[in-house]
Amino acid sequence: MYAIVNIAGTQFKVTKDQQLYAPKMQGEAGASVEFDQVLLADDNGTVSIGAPTIAGAKVSGKILDHVKGDKVIVFKKKRRKGYKKKNGHRQQFTKILIENITI
């Protein structure tokens, strides 16, 4: 059984007991969350497609932690002008454990 869920504007294919990194969300570690924007669900070959979402379908999970992603280096340069600028960025993520999918 799997479902395609919209979490914070990003679509994820989730299954039960799966861990995923979603864009940072409100809530502290250990808090439970529910996602009701289920776009598609598959239950052992029976596919349900929403228009745009499936009514009554929910995916529940638990926030495990708030983490930072890998560092991305941003480097800008203009040749022969002496202009160089180097910046780094680490994106904030929320680690989520999917506990249950109900259709």
Side-chain angles (χ1 to χ4, degrees):
M1 172 183 250
Y2 71 88
I4 296 178
V5 184
N6 186 2
I7 301 173
T10 308
Q11 295 177 8
F12 292 95
K13 179 180 177 183
V14 297
T15 59
K16 189 175 183 208
D17 298 328
Q18 177 186 358
Q19 295 180 3
L20 61 99
Y21 294 96
K24 186 165 185 188
M25 301 170 44
Q26 297 294 323
E28 51 190 59
S32 62
V33 290
E34 280 193 352
F35 308 107
D36 57 352
Q37 292 187 354
V38 180
L39 307 173
L40 183 138
D42 181 11
D43 186 16
N44 298 326
T46 306
V47 178
S48 302
I49 300 174
T53 60
I54 301 172
K58 290 185 181 180
V59 174
S60 61
K62 181 170 71 170
I63 295 176
L64 297 178
D65 200 9
H66 296 287
V67 296
K68 287 185 178 181
D70 294 336
K71 186 168 224 175
V72 177
I73 303 297
V74 180
F75 185 74
K76 298 178 183 179
K77 179 182 177 179
K78 295 191 188 281
R79 64 183 189 160
R80 297 189 299 267
K81 304 295 181 195
Y83 172 79
K84 289 191 279 185
K85 185 173 281 257
K86 182 178 178 182
N87 281 325
H89 176 74
R90 292 185 72 186
Q91 187 70 36
Q92 302 272 336
F93 291 107
T94 300
K95 188 174 182 181
I96 301 172
L97 172 68
I98 303 299
E99 294 178 330
N100 195 10
I101 299 173
T102 56
I103 300 174

